[in-house]
Amino acid sequence: MFKTLILKEIRETLHNFQFLIATLLCISLIPLGIYFSVKNYEKQVYEYNKNIEDYQKESEKRINATFVAKGFRRPSPLIIFSNGINDIIPSQVNVSRYGITTVIKSYNKNPFSALFGNIDFEFIMIYFISIFSIIISYDSISGEKEKNTLGLFLSYSVPRWVIIIAKLFINFIILIIPTILALLISFIIINENFFTILFSKDLFMRILFIFIISLIFIFINLNLGMLISSRTYIPTSSIVILLLCWCFFTLFIPKISPMIAKIIYPIKSQQIIDIEKSMVKQNLRKECIKEESKIL
């Protein structure tokens, strides 16, 4: 009976407009996002090499008491999957006799990206793939109830868990196949040199971990869709509840969590910390001048 249910779900999926839309969007969005991320990475690597070259020319035979040593952070190839905090951590460190300073250089000049994020693999998974999971799974059970076909299955003494597993398995395959196909297309368009760097021994396990986490994320979204669909009687109610859940977990919690954290455990603002640091530096500088005058 399980095989019969699987074949039924496959036939319905292949004739389903949702599967076609999900496939086309995955195949178009994921390679496009990774392509732009690769171009962004190549730009950052070029600027990194240029900074190193300029610094070496600048520092050649000019090292003295006022010399400022500079260190540059090399961009990680993994930013093609997720930019993360790349734009807010220091890209340069300056060391002089007066102390250590950091420079934060944002490579992203697009204000919309600052608001909504870069169109990388992480962005596509969080927003697009999760929405596809809702669209595919919202009527898995409630749709059968509305068409009165669920009772027909149960009349054959089919366990409920068999129906759930069959639908969950097929829905999971629906999303996995376009995602894997889109990733393969993305790796084809990546140039050979970058492909060698990306799949080196140091990065391969990290990329595999990212892919496994993505599969778990898709599986969780499908489970949520199946849960809500099984507890409602019409698909309209199911998709409304799922969209509310999506907004709560995807948009509301990431925004409200830092506010709640500040209320529970308040900390000093960055401006106050910077003022305190400058005061400490001034005091240390005064002590240094006194000690230098004593020595002289």
Side-chain angles (χ1 to χ4, degrees), residues 18 131 134-139 142 225 228-229 232 234-246:
Q18 299 167 356
I131 288 292
I134 291 174
I135 293 174
I136 288 173
S137 61
Y138 81 95
D139 61 345
S142 57
I228 301 300
S229 181
T232 54
I234 55 175
T236 307
S237 302
S238 177
I239 194 169
V240 169
I241 296 173
L242 283 170
L243 287 175
L244 290 175
C245 292
W246 182 87

Side-chain angles (χ1 to χ4, degrees), residues 17-31 132 178 182:
F17 186 69
Q18 299 167 356
F19 174 71
L20 178 62
I21 294 297
T23 303
L24 291 177
L25 287 177
C26 282
I27 292 176
S28 59
L29 287 176
I30 293 179
F132 294 159

